[in-house]
Amino acid sequence: MAMLHCFEAAARLGSFSRAAESLQLTQSAVSRHIANLEQWLGATLFTRNGRRIVLNETGQLFLEDIGPALAGIRRATGRLMDPEPEHMIELAVLPSFGMRWLAPRLPRLTQTHPDLVVNLSARTDIFDFTREAFHGAIHVGGPDWPGAEHDLLFSEHVVPVVAPELLERYAISSPEDLLRVPLLVQSQRKDAWARWFALFGLPGPELENLPSASHFLMLAQSVKAGGGAALLPSFLITPELSAGELIIPIDTPLIEERRYWLAFPESSKRIKAFTLFRNWLRQECESPAPTT
């Protein structure tokens, strides 16, 4: 184990001296442990150039195999020595989902489970649950988070929205009327309008001529300002719809293939607080949005 820990630290930090500082050993001890490991394995793990070390291909493959196991041992040991609060969980969330869907519902969670605390951290990347202290994460796409189980929350529905002033100016009452309105698109889904108009057997607009924004909430601001019509996920714009700042002129959603999931490691199922949150979240996905 000492050899493995020295190897993992040196590989992660890119330096025998930094690994020694991390493990509170001498540099010579780390170097000796790694030399013994290479001799035991019968394989060289690092390319050495003076004082610089670089993982070679064999070392990289070995690190990928043993890294999660060592991280799991560290987490299990840490939890035993310093148990996590039984009423608290750590959740990684997509920023827009956390701000527009989950946060407004958390007061209902508090009403149901007053002692349960959910700490939210904004994350957009897929990470290794064995290396990071999260009990679960909100994931969009398919059930493809490595090493995780998945609960389906909901599919994404996008709806056409305009500002009230634009609705009146163009007298929008049919899908054809939207073809006369400036259309805005999210930069990663420029074909969304073509697919929405196809629901009515109508030809879509020229895609290359449509102004775009990279983020749905940026797009919502442009629509609110009267810049045009856009197709937006309905759950992201509940506050604007409730306030009358955005209006759905044609209430026919486009159901996207994108789905939202709760991804979590198998170990989280043994944590009572996470089980309570998981059950509440699945029930909440079937409930109407909270009023604002």
Side-chain angles (χ1 to χ4, degrees):
M1 287 301 295
M3 291 188 290
L4 292 177
H5 279 299
C6 286
F7 163 72
E8 189 271 342
R12 174 166 44 85
L13 298 172
S15 165
F16 285 175
S17 60
R18 287 202 291 265
E21 292 174 5
S22 172
L23 298 172
Q24 297 183 336
L25 298 173
T26 64
Q27 181 175 337
S28 61
V30 170
S31 180
R32 185 172 62 253
H33 277 308
I34 292 175
N36 290 340
L37 177 63
E38 290 178 320
Q39 183 178 5
W40 184 60
L41 293 173
T44 301
L45 303 173
F46 292 94
T47 299
R48 293 163 173 82
N49 183 8
R51 293 186 177 182
R52 294 182 65 247
I53 60 167
V54 179
L55 270 182
N56 60 24
E57 184 177 356
T58 301
Q60 184 62 47
L61 292 173
F62 190 54
L63 177 65
E64 291 174 0
D65 285 338
I66 71 164
L70 291 175
I73 292 171
R74 280 195 295 269
R75 289 186 64 191
T77 304
R79 285 176 178 172
L80 184 62
M81 297 176 65
D82 185 17
E84 298 172 342
E86 295 182 356
H87 65 284
M88 184 180 297
I89 66 169
E90 302 289 337
L91 188 71
V93 298
L94 301 164
S96 296
F97 181 95
M99 180 171 60
R100 288 304 183 101
W101 193 92
L102 184 56
R105 288 170 163 78
L106 288 180
R108 300 207 292 217
L109 173 63
T110 302
Q111 292 175 3
T112 306
H113 303 292
D115 296 330
L116 184 57
V117 176
V118 180
N119 294 324
L120 305 180
S121 298
R123 294 288 294 265
T124 59
D125 58 319
I126 291 179
F127 53 83
D128 188 342
F129 279 114
T130 65
R131 290 178 176 268
E132 304 209 33
F134 288 107
H135 298 94
I138 301 300
H139 176 52
V140 62
D144 52 6
W145 194 297
E149 298 186 28
H150 300 76
D151 285 344
L152 176 61
L153 302 181
F154 53 80
S155 297
E156 188 175 86
H157 293 192
V158 297
V159 292
V161 292
V162 296
E165 179 265 335
L166 216 65
L167 179 72
E168 183 178 347
R169 185 196 311 170
Y170 288 92
I172 303 170
S173 61
S174 69
E176 291 87 347
D177 294 331
L178 280 169
L179 288 168
R180 300 184 286 106
V181 178
L183 300 177
L184 311 176
V185 295
Q186 199 267 345
S187 56
Q188 301 301 314
R189 301 195 212 176
K190 292 189 175 181
D191 66 337
W193 275 118
R195 291 186 285 116
W196 187 81
F197 282 115
L199 296 176
F200 306 94
L202 297 172
E206 293 293 332
L207 301 181
E208 61 271 15
N209 296 328
L210 301 184
S212 65
S214 61
H215 196 283
F216 279 124
L217 295 182
M218 293 170 58
L219 207 56
Q221 292 299 316
S222 296
V223 177
K224 283 172 57 177
L231 286 164
L232 298 173
S234 55
F235 80 88
L236 287 181
I237 52 172
T238 299
E240 288 83 359
L241 293 174
S242 299
E245 297 171 328
L246 293 178
I247 293 176
I248 302 174
I250 309 297
D251 195 6
T252 301
L254 178 66
I255 301 176
E256 296 281 40
E257 294 182 359
R258 284 164 51 101
R259 292 178 171 85
Y260 287 80
W261 308 81
L262 174 64
F264 54 92
E266 192 275 337
S267 59
S268 290
K269 294 194 295 186
R270 299 192 293 271
I271 299 171
K272 181 179 178 181
F274 181 79
T275 298
L276 292 174
F277 173 77
R278 181 187 177 196
N279 292 338
W280 170 84
L281 185 63
R282 288 187 292 190
Q283 293 172 358
E284 195 64 27
C285 288
E286 301 173 0
S287 303
T291 58
T292 57

